[in-house]
Amino acid sequence: MSLAILSTGALDSIGSDARRPVIIAFLLFVSGSLLWLFALVAAHQDDPDRFYVAGRRLSPTVNGFAMAGEQISAVALLAIPGGIALFGYDGFTVAVDVLLTMGVMLLLAQRTRNTGRYTLGELFALRAPGPGPRIAAALVTLAITLPVLTVQLRAAGISVSLLIGMPTDSAQLICTILIGFLVACFAAIGDLRGITFMQVVKVPLCLITLAVVTLLALRRFEWDPGHLLGAAVNRSLAPDKYLSPGLWPYWTSLRPLNSVGEHIIAILGTAVAPHLLLRIGASRSGPAARRSISIASALVGMFTVLLIATGFASAALLGSKNIGAADGNGQSSLLLLASGVLDDGSSARVALITTIACVTFLAVFTAVTSVAFAAAVSLTRDVFARRLRRHSNTAEVRTLRLAVVLLCTAGLSLSVATHHYQVEFLVNFAINVAASCIFPALICSLFWQKFNRRGLLWSVYCGLALCTLLTVFSPEVSGTTYALWPDTDFAWYPFHTPGLISVPAAFLLGWIGSVTSQEAPPSCFPDIEYTMATDTGERPAAASPHYG
């Protein structure tokens, strides 16, 4: 299926009558959010521990809501319903990946939290002391953060341009720049406590809004889900293929293996993203981290169900072709659905569109701020704090604020520079880097006694190099209609997911590097293992002989 039919024109279903009050209410909401964030951090002292992980005083419930909020990003909120509306079953399977990610986090959360470490460099240094692992962690963090920021800001620009009734390329570019500057200002003044409370507000607001939109759409079909699903099939681009695999345009000839690999890598990579590791590290204890993720899993489950429902409702009520006419990627489907479930001119319609716009802004703000903040914490704590032996806490916090601004600026610059290109593959690249560089190193560090410095460095750099090389020579960069350079073909790697090769290779190189190294395995592993299992750094004397 060609994507050309999805970009034939612009659809403006908000209407001029509703646009002015929607924009005014949206701007008031943005201003209120900024003032609230200032109030949250106004009394904050320049204490790095409180700044990075809120002093590890967040309750399991609050942290659970925040963890759920980490999954409600702009990409998830906008792209998944659009993917379902345009591509049916294939978009549905992407939504399920969000929920399965929580299961992987649940398995790793307690041991990760009990290490007492919350940056990627510190986790790498758990078994491999020295500057090398921390430098590797900094490179991996940047390779994950910058692509995510680029795509998140672009999604925000598309949404806001549609809100103001100017869904053109130039308007999207201007909106992306404005949103980027606004988010950079937010990120520069925030800390984990402020970001957490913004996440806590976002989760129920998002769930309630999606539920209202779903119910209003279902009302249009006489409260019959079967009728709604049938309408979605009939108004899709390919009714005979809508509820079966294969409509997704990002396929290769090796479809089954490519599909399975994409889902596995997406689950593993998302579960070990740096901002989620920071969130786990902010828990009070290992058991508290597990309770937080259990709460988050329930909330994410509701979010996933509602995303699926709104995706099918968009196709049923608006039609896939109309959604594609407004935005070839379907990212505007949620806003279009909100404007179509109620009659024109009603105050309820204005309120609903405004709420969707505010939820979208919160999703962009919290996602970008959280990702940039976690990356800045990692760079500041692992690079700045380690290189300068004598520095004040105030200087460290100021460095983190500067790092956040620089990261947001870099992400915005990349988003602007690549605005006319199809760069959605960057999210896939970031997830593959996390799955290839972080997941193998973390698993080996937490569970394998003989894992050492050489094994870690070989694993991380092998994963990063293979991800980069295979992505460059994949169908996502050249040779296909949805590629970065569609008119050029130098792709020889047949899959969209480099993780199919890079993740097994990272595990293999980690093992080879460890067993061939002349250095002895860290003798402290029994103590580390006991700490991870019991959330205490002290081992009972009676237990010592068993650890050799």
Side-chain angles (χ1 to χ4, degrees), residues 70-101:
E70 300 286 4
Q71 302 296 329
I72 306 177
S73 65
V75 171
L77 186 64
L78 300 177
I80 290 179
I84 294 172
L86 295 178
F87 310 120
Y89 174 86
D90 294 324
F92 165 80
T93 58
V94 174
V96 175
D97 291 344
V98 178
L99 182 58
L100 296 179
T101 295

PDB file of all heavy atoms in Angstrom, residues 70-101:
ATOM      1  N   GLU A  70       4.882   7.964  32.513  1.00  0.00           N
ATOM      2  CA  GLU A  70       6.027   7.846  31.612  1.00  0.00           C
ATOM      3  C   GLU A  70       5.638   7.111  30.327  1.00  0.00           C
ATOM      4  O   GLU A  70       6.241   7.320  29.267  1.00  0.00           O
ATOM      5  CB  GLU A  70       7.171   7.094  32.293  1.00  0.00           C
ATOM      6  CG  GLU A  70       7.712   7.743  33.561  1.00  0.00           C
ATOM      7  CD  GLU A  70       8.560   8.965  33.297  1.00  0.00           C
ATOM      8  OE1 GLU A  70       8.673   9.372  32.117  1.00  0.00           O
ATOM      9  OE2 GLU A  70       9.101   9.536  34.256  1.00  0.00           O
ATOM     10  N   GLN A  71       4.647   6.220  30.409  1.00  0.00           N
ATOM     11  CA  GLN A  71       4.202   5.483  29.225  1.00  0.00           C
ATOM     12  C   GLN A  71       3.228   6.290  28.370  1.00  0.00           C
ATOM     13  O   GLN A  71       2.992   5.950  27.214  1.00  0.00           O
ATOM     14  CB  GLN A  71       3.527   4.170  29.655  1.00  0.00           C
ATOM     15  CG  GLN A  71       4.413   3.251  30.477  1.00  0.00           C
ATOM     16  CD  GLN A  71       5.611   2.751  29.709  1.00  0.00           C
ATOM     17  OE1 GLN A  71       5.556   2.578  28.491  1.00  0.00           O
ATOM     18  NE2 GLN A  71       6.712   2.509  30.398  1.00  0.00           N
ATOM     19  N   ILE A  72       2.667   7.353  28.944  1.00  0.00           N
ATOM     20  CA  ILE A  72       1.710   8.175  28.196  1.00  0.00           C
ATOM     21  C   ILE A  72       2.479   9.319  27.564  1.00  0.00           C
ATOM     22  O   ILE A  72       2.400  10.475  27.994  1.00  0.00           O
ATOM     23  CB  ILE A  72       0.574   8.671  29.111  1.00  0.00           C
ATOM     24  CG1 ILE A  72      -0.092   7.499  29.825  1.00  0.00           C
ATOM     25  CG2 ILE A  72      -0.473   9.444  28.314  1.00  0.00           C
ATOM     26  CD1 ILE A  72      -1.176   7.907  30.804  1.00  0.00           C
ATOM     27  N   SER A  73       3.263   9.011  26.581  1.00  0.00           N
ATOM     28  CA  SER A  73       4.036  10.016  25.872  1.00  0.00           C
ATOM     29  C   SER A  73       3.223  10.564  24.701  1.00  0.00           C
ATOM     30  O   SER A  73       2.161  10.037  24.344  1.00  0.00           O
ATOM     31  CB  SER A  73       5.344   9.404  25.358  1.00  0.00           C
ATOM     32  OG  SER A  73       5.065   8.404  24.388  1.00  0.00           O
ATOM     33  N   ALA A  74       3.755  11.614  24.085  1.00  0.00           N
ATOM     34  CA  ALA A  74       3.068  12.172  22.920  1.00  0.00           C
ATOM     35  C   ALA A  74       3.032  11.165  21.779  1.00  0.00           C
ATOM     36  O   ALA A  74       2.038  11.069  21.053  1.00  0.00           O
ATOM     37  CB  ALA A  74       3.777  13.458  22.475  1.00  0.00           C
ATOM     38  N   VAL A  75       4.112  10.403  21.633  1.00  0.00           N
ATOM     39  CA  VAL A  75       4.143   9.404  20.567  1.00  0.00           C
ATOM     40  C   VAL A  75       3.070   8.344  20.785  1.00  0.00           C
ATOM     41  O   VAL A  75       2.341   7.967  19.862  1.00  0.00           O
ATOM     42  CB  VAL A  75       5.543   8.759  20.479  1.00  0.00           C
ATOM     43  CG1 VAL A  75       5.527   7.577  19.524  1.00  0.00           C
ATOM     44  CG2 VAL A  75       6.573   9.793  20.022  1.00  0.00           C
ATOM     45  N   ALA A  76       2.962   7.849  22.025  1.00  0.00           N
ATOM     46  CA  ALA A  76       1.952   6.827  22.308  1.00  0.00           C
ATOM     47  C   ALA A  76       0.547   7.389  22.154  1.00  0.00           C
ATOM     48  O   ALA A  76      -0.333   6.759  21.543  1.00  0.00           O
ATOM     49  CB  ALA A  76       2.155   6.272  23.718  1.00  0.00           C
ATOM     50  N   LEU A  77       0.304   8.570  22.700  1.00  0.00           N
ATOM     51  CA  LEU A  77      -1.035   9.151  22.699  1.00  0.00           C
ATOM     52  C   LEU A  77      -1.510   9.506  21.295  1.00  0.00           C
ATOM     53  O   LEU A  77      -2.697   9.363  20.975  1.00  0.00           O
ATOM     54  CB  LEU A  77      -1.048  10.400  23.585  1.00  0.00           C
ATOM     55  CG  LEU A  77      -2.395  11.079  23.820  1.00  0.00           C
ATOM     56  CD1 LEU A  77      -3.343  10.156  24.569  1.00  0.00           C
ATOM     57  CD2 LEU A  77      -2.200  12.384  24.584  1.00  0.00           C
ATOM     58  N   LEU A  78      -0.596   9.962  20.450  1.00  0.00           N
ATOM     59  CA  LEU A  78      -0.996  10.409  19.116  1.00  0.00           C
ATOM     60  C   LEU A  78      -0.808   9.344  18.045  1.00  0.00           C
ATOM     61  O   LEU A  78      -1.639   9.186  17.152  1.00  0.00           O
ATOM     62  CB  LEU A  78      -0.193  11.657  18.735  1.00  0.00           C
ATOM     63  CG  LEU A  78      -0.354  12.873  19.650  1.00  0.00           C
ATOM     64  CD1 LEU A  78       0.554  14.003  19.198  1.00  0.00           C
ATOM     65  CD2 LEU A  78      -1.797  13.339  19.703  1.00  0.00           C
ATOM     66  N   ALA A  79       0.308   8.597  18.128  1.00  0.00           N
ATOM     67  CA  ALA A  79       0.643   7.685  17.037  1.00  0.00           C
ATOM     68  C   ALA A  79      -0.117   6.362  17.109  1.00  0.00           C
ATOM     69  O   ALA A  79      -0.484   5.803  16.075  1.00  0.00           O
ATOM     70  CB  ALA A  79       2.152   7.418  17.033  1.00  0.00           C
ATOM     71  N   ILE A  80      -0.350   5.847  18.316  1.00  0.00           N
ATOM     72  CA  ILE A  80      -0.994   4.534  18.411  1.00  0.00           C
ATOM     73  C   ILE A  80      -2.448   4.570  17.935  1.00  0.00           C
ATOM     74  O   ILE A  80      -2.850   3.722  17.123  1.00  0.00           O
ATOM     75  CB  ILE A  80      -0.876   3.975  19.837  1.00  0.00           C
ATOM     76  CG1 ILE A  80       0.591   3.602  20.119  1.00  0.00           C
ATOM     77  CG2 ILE A  80      -1.763   2.752  20.021  1.00  0.00           C
ATOM     78  CD1 ILE A  80       0.835   3.062  21.495  1.00  0.00           C
ATOM     79  N   PRO A  81      -3.293   5.511  18.383  1.00  0.00           N
ATOM     80  CA  PRO A  81      -4.645   5.559  17.797  1.00  0.00           C
ATOM     81  C   PRO A  81      -4.620   5.781  16.288  1.00  0.00           C
ATOM     82  O   PRO A  81      -5.431   5.202  15.552  1.00  0.00           O
ATOM     83  CB  PRO A  81      -5.299   6.740  18.534  1.00  0.00           C
ATOM     84  CG  PRO A  81      -4.545   6.869  19.800  1.00  0.00           C
ATOM     85  CD  PRO A  81      -3.144   6.496  19.469  1.00  0.00           C
ATOM     86  N   GLY A  82      -3.669   6.609  15.824  1.00  0.00           N
ATOM     87  CA  GLY A  82      -3.558   6.816  14.387  1.00  0.00           C
ATOM     88  C   GLY A  82      -3.143   5.557  13.656  1.00  0.00           C
ATOM     89  O   GLY A  82      -3.656   5.252  12.569  1.00  0.00           O
ATOM     90  N   GLY A  83      -2.220   4.805  14.253  1.00  0.00           N
ATOM     91  CA  GLY A  83      -1.806   3.545  13.642  1.00  0.00           C
ATOM     92  C   GLY A  83      -2.935   2.542  13.561  1.00  0.00           C
ATOM     93  O   GLY A  83      -3.085   1.826  12.571  1.00  0.00           O
ATOM     94  N   ILE A  84      -3.753   2.488  14.604  1.00  0.00           N
ATOM     95  CA  ILE A  84      -4.904   1.580  14.592  1.00  0.00           C
ATOM     96  C   ILE A  84      -5.939   2.046  13.571  1.00  0.00           C
ATOM     97  O   ILE A  84      -6.515   1.238  12.827  1.00  0.00           O
ATOM     98  CB  ILE A  84      -5.525   1.489  15.996  1.00  0.00           C
ATOM     99  CG1 ILE A  84      -4.539   0.832  16.967  1.00  0.00           C
ATOM    100  CG2 ILE A  84      -6.841   0.709  15.966  1.00  0.00           C
ATOM    101  CD1 ILE A  84      -4.989   0.869  18.408  1.00  0.00           C
ATOM    102  N   ALA A  85      -6.193   3.347  13.520  1.00  0.00           N
ATOM    103  CA  ALA A  85      -7.183   3.867  12.580  1.00  0.00           C
ATOM    104  C   ALA A  85      -6.778   3.596  11.134  1.00  0.00           C
ATOM    105  O   ALA A  85      -7.627   3.282  10.300  1.00  0.00           O
ATOM    106  CB  ALA A  85      -7.363   5.373  12.801  1.00  0.00           C
ATOM    107  N   LEU A  86      -5.487   3.694  10.845  1.00  0.00           N
ATOM    108  CA  LEU A  86      -5.030   3.526   9.462  1.00  0.00           C
ATOM    109  C   LEU A  86      -4.711   2.076   9.110  1.00  0.00           C
ATOM    110  O   LEU A  86      -4.981   1.638   7.993  1.00  0.00           O
ATOM    111  CB  LEU A  86      -3.792   4.389   9.214  1.00  0.00           C
ATOM    112  CG  LEU A  86      -3.974   5.908   9.297  1.00  0.00           C
ATOM    113  CD1 LEU A  86      -2.637   6.602   9.084  1.00  0.00           C
ATOM    114  CD2 LEU A  86      -5.000   6.402   8.290  1.00  0.00           C
ATOM    115  N   PHE A  87      -4.149   1.334  10.079  1.00  0.00           N
ATOM    116  CA  PHE A  87      -3.599   0.021   9.750  1.00  0.00           C
ATOM    117  C   PHE A  87      -4.194  -1.129  10.555  1.00  0.00           C
ATOM    118  O   PHE A  87      -3.721  -2.257  10.471  1.00  0.00           O
ATOM    119  CB  PHE A  87      -2.078   0.048   9.928  1.00  0.00           C
ATOM    120  CG  PHE A  87      -1.420   1.210   9.248  1.00  0.00           C
ATOM    121  CD1 PHE A  87      -0.688   2.137   9.964  1.00  0.00           C
ATOM    122  CD2 PHE A  87      -1.557   1.390   7.877  1.00  0.00           C
ATOM    123  CE1 PHE A  87      -0.093   3.212   9.341  1.00  0.00           C
ATOM    124  CE2 PHE A  87      -0.958   2.477   7.243  1.00  0.00           C
ATOM    125  CZ  PHE A  87      -0.223   3.388   7.982  1.00  0.00           C
ATOM    126  N   GLY A  88      -5.226  -0.865  11.348  1.00  0.00           N
ATOM    127  CA  GLY A  88      -5.999  -1.920  11.986  1.00  0.00           C
ATOM    128  C   GLY A  88      -5.207  -2.817  12.915  1.00  0.00           C
ATOM    129  O   GLY A  88      -4.609  -2.363  13.897  1.00  0.00           O
ATOM    130  N   TYR A  89      -5.184  -4.104  12.616  1.00  0.00           N
ATOM    131  CA  TYR A  89      -4.584  -5.116  13.481  1.00  0.00           C
ATOM    132  C   TYR A  89      -3.123  -4.803  13.799  1.00  0.00           C
ATOM    133  O   TYR A  89      -2.686  -4.967  14.945  1.00  0.00           O
ATOM    134  CB  TYR A  89      -4.684  -6.484  12.815  1.00  0.00           C
ATOM    135  CG  TYR A  89      -3.976  -7.589  13.564  1.00  0.00           C
ATOM    136  CD1 TYR A  89      -4.615  -8.279  14.593  1.00  0.00           C
ATOM    137  CD2 TYR A  89      -2.662  -7.932  13.245  1.00  0.00           C
ATOM    138  CE1 TYR A  89      -3.952  -9.284  15.281  1.00  0.00           C
ATOM    139  CE2 TYR A  89      -2.000  -8.933  13.928  1.00  0.00           C
ATOM    140  CZ  TYR A  89      -2.639  -9.608  14.954  1.00  0.00           C
ATOM    141  OH  TYR A  89      -1.979 -10.593  15.630  1.00  0.00           O
ATOM    142  N   ASP A  90      -2.367  -4.352  12.824  1.00  0.00           N
ATOM    143  CA  ASP A  90      -0.951  -4.082  13.050  1.00  0.00           C
ATOM    144  C   ASP A  90      -0.754  -2.938  14.044  1.00  0.00           C
ATOM    145  O   ASP A  90       0.181  -2.966  14.844  1.00  0.00           O
ATOM    146  CB  ASP A  90      -0.264  -3.759  11.722  1.00  0.00           C
ATOM    147  CG  ASP A  90      -0.236  -4.958  10.792  1.00  0.00           C
ATOM    148  OD1 ASP A  90      -0.074  -6.084  11.283  1.00  0.00           O
ATOM    149  OD2 ASP A  90      -0.397  -4.773   9.575  1.00  0.00           O
ATOM    150  N   GLY A  91      -1.604  -1.922  13.994  1.00  0.00           N
ATOM    151  CA  GLY A  91      -1.541  -0.865  14.994  1.00  0.00           C
ATOM    152  C   GLY A  91      -1.959  -1.355  16.363  1.00  0.00           C
ATOM    153  O   GLY A  91      -1.416  -0.922  17.393  1.00  0.00           O
ATOM    154  N   PHE A  92      -2.918  -2.280  16.408  1.00  0.00           N
ATOM    155  CA  PHE A  92      -3.379  -2.864  17.666  1.00  0.00           C
ATOM    156  C   PHE A  92      -2.244  -3.589  18.391  1.00  0.00           C
ATOM    157  O   PHE A  92      -2.084  -3.471  19.613  1.00  0.00           O
ATOM    158  CB  PHE A  92      -4.533  -3.825  17.372  1.00  0.00           C
ATOM    159  CG  PHE A  92      -4.876  -4.749  18.489  1.00  0.00           C
ATOM    160  CD1 PHE A  92      -5.653  -4.337  19.558  1.00  0.00           C
ATOM    161  CD2 PHE A  92      -4.417  -6.066  18.494  1.00  0.00           C
ATOM    162  CE1 PHE A  92      -5.967  -5.200  20.600  1.00  0.00           C
ATOM    163  CE2 PHE A  92      -4.721  -6.935  19.510  1.00  0.00           C
ATOM    164  CZ  PHE A  92      -5.500  -6.494  20.565  1.00  0.00           C
ATOM    165  N   THR A  93      -1.433  -4.341  17.667  1.00  0.00           N
ATOM    166  CA  THR A  93      -0.342  -5.084  18.306  1.00  0.00           C
ATOM    167  C   THR A  93       0.702  -4.142  18.906  1.00  0.00           C
ATOM    168  O   THR A  93       1.318  -4.463  19.923  1.00  0.00           O
ATOM    169  CB  THR A  93       0.327  -6.028  17.298  1.00  0.00           C
ATOM    170  OG1 THR A  93       0.819  -5.274  16.182  1.00  0.00           O
ATOM    171  CG2 THR A  93      -0.655  -7.073  16.807  1.00  0.00           C
ATOM    172  N   VAL A  94       0.909  -2.966  18.291  1.00  0.00           N
ATOM    173  CA  VAL A  94       1.836  -1.984  18.858  1.00  0.00           C
ATOM    174  C   VAL A  94       1.315  -1.486  20.203  1.00  0.00           C
ATOM    175  O   VAL A  94       2.094  -1.294  21.156  1.00  0.00           O
ATOM    176  CB  VAL A  94       2.035  -0.813  17.877  1.00  0.00           C
ATOM    177  CG1 VAL A  94       2.873   0.281  18.517  1.00  0.00           C
ATOM    178  CG2 VAL A  94       2.693  -1.305  16.596  1.00  0.00           C
ATOM    179  N   ALA A  95       0.012  -1.292  20.321  1.00  0.00           N
ATOM    180  CA  ALA A  95      -0.578  -0.844  21.585  1.00  0.00           C
ATOM    181  C   ALA A  95      -0.367  -1.874  22.690  1.00  0.00           C
ATOM    182  O   ALA A  95      -0.102  -1.520  23.846  1.00  0.00           O
ATOM    183  CB  ALA A  95      -2.070  -0.562  21.394  1.00  0.00           C
ATOM    184  N   VAL A  96      -0.461  -3.145  22.353  1.00  0.00           N
ATOM    185  CA  VAL A  96      -0.287  -4.196  23.359  1.00  0.00           C
ATOM    186  C   VAL A  96       1.149  -4.217  23.889  1.00  0.00           C
ATOM    187  O   VAL A  96       1.388  -4.546  25.059  1.00  0.00           O
ATOM    188  CB  VAL A  96      -0.674  -5.562  22.768  1.00  0.00           C
ATOM    189  CG1 VAL A  96      -0.391  -6.685  23.748  1.00  0.00           C
ATOM    190  CG2 VAL A  96      -2.150  -5.560  22.377  1.00  0.00           C
ATOM    191  N   ASP A  97       2.116  -3.838  23.056  1.00  0.00           N
ATOM    192  CA  ASP A  97       3.514  -3.803  23.499  1.00  0.00           C
ATOM    193  C   ASP A  97       3.706  -2.889  24.696  1.00  0.00           C
ATOM    194  O   ASP A  97       4.546  -3.153  25.571  1.00  0.00           O
ATOM    195  CB  ASP A  97       4.415  -3.332  22.356  1.00  0.00           C
ATOM    196  CG  ASP A  97       4.512  -4.352  21.235  1.00  0.00           C
ATOM    197  OD1 ASP A  97       4.135  -5.521  21.467  1.00  0.00           O
ATOM    198  OD2 ASP A  97       4.966  -3.979  20.130  1.00  0.00           O
ATOM    199  N   VAL A  98       2.940  -1.799  24.744  1.00  0.00           N
ATOM    200  CA  VAL A  98       3.052  -0.855  25.860  1.00  0.00           C
ATOM    201  C   VAL A  98       2.751  -1.550  27.183  1.00  0.00           C
ATOM    202  O   VAL A  98       3.435  -1.335  28.194  1.00  0.00           O
ATOM    203  CB  VAL A  98       2.103   0.340  25.649  1.00  0.00           C
ATOM    204  CG1 VAL A  98       2.176   1.297  26.828  1.00  0.00           C
ATOM    205  CG2 VAL A  98       2.441   1.067  24.350  1.00  0.00           C
ATOM    206  N   LEU A  99       1.745  -2.405  27.189  1.00  0.00           N
ATOM    207  CA  LEU A  99       1.367  -3.116  28.405  1.00  0.00           C
ATOM    208  C   LEU A  99       2.385  -4.195  28.768  1.00  0.00           C
ATOM    209  O   LEU A  99       2.735  -4.369  29.936  1.00  0.00           O
ATOM    210  CB  LEU A  99      -0.023  -3.725  28.233  1.00  0.00           C
ATOM    211  CG  LEU A  99      -0.614  -4.468  29.432  1.00  0.00           C
ATOM    212  CD1 LEU A  99      -0.704  -3.542  30.634  1.00  0.00           C
ATOM    213  CD2 LEU A  99      -1.986  -5.018  29.095  1.00  0.00           C
ATOM    214  N   LEU A 100       2.881  -4.923  27.774  1.00  0.00           N
ATOM    215  CA  LEU A 100       3.840  -5.985  28.046  1.00  0.00           C
ATOM    216  C   LEU A 100       5.158  -5.451  28.599  1.00  0.00           C
ATOM    217  O   LEU A 100       5.873  -6.147  29.318  1.00  0.00           O
ATOM    218  CB  LEU A 100       4.093  -6.794  26.771  1.00  0.00           C
ATOM    219  CG  LEU A 100       2.891  -7.562  26.205  1.00  0.00           C
ATOM    220  CD1 LEU A 100       3.262  -8.290  24.932  1.00  0.00           C
ATOM    221  CD2 LEU A 100       2.349  -8.541  27.240  1.00  0.00           C
ATOM    222  N   THR A 101       5.469  -4.209  28.245  1.00  0.00           N
ATOM    223  CA  THR A 101       6.680  -3.581  28.780  1.00  0.00           C
ATOM    224  C   THR A 101       6.670  -3.565  30.304  1.00  0.00           C
ATOM    225  O   THR A 101       7.705  -3.747  30.951  1.00  0.00           O
ATOM    226  CB  THR A 101       6.791  -2.145  28.242  1.00  0.00           C
ATOM    227  OG1 THR A 101       6.972  -2.198  26.830  1.00  0.00           O
ATOM    228  CG2 THR A 101       7.961  -1.416  28.871  1.00  0.00           C
TER     229      THR A 101
END
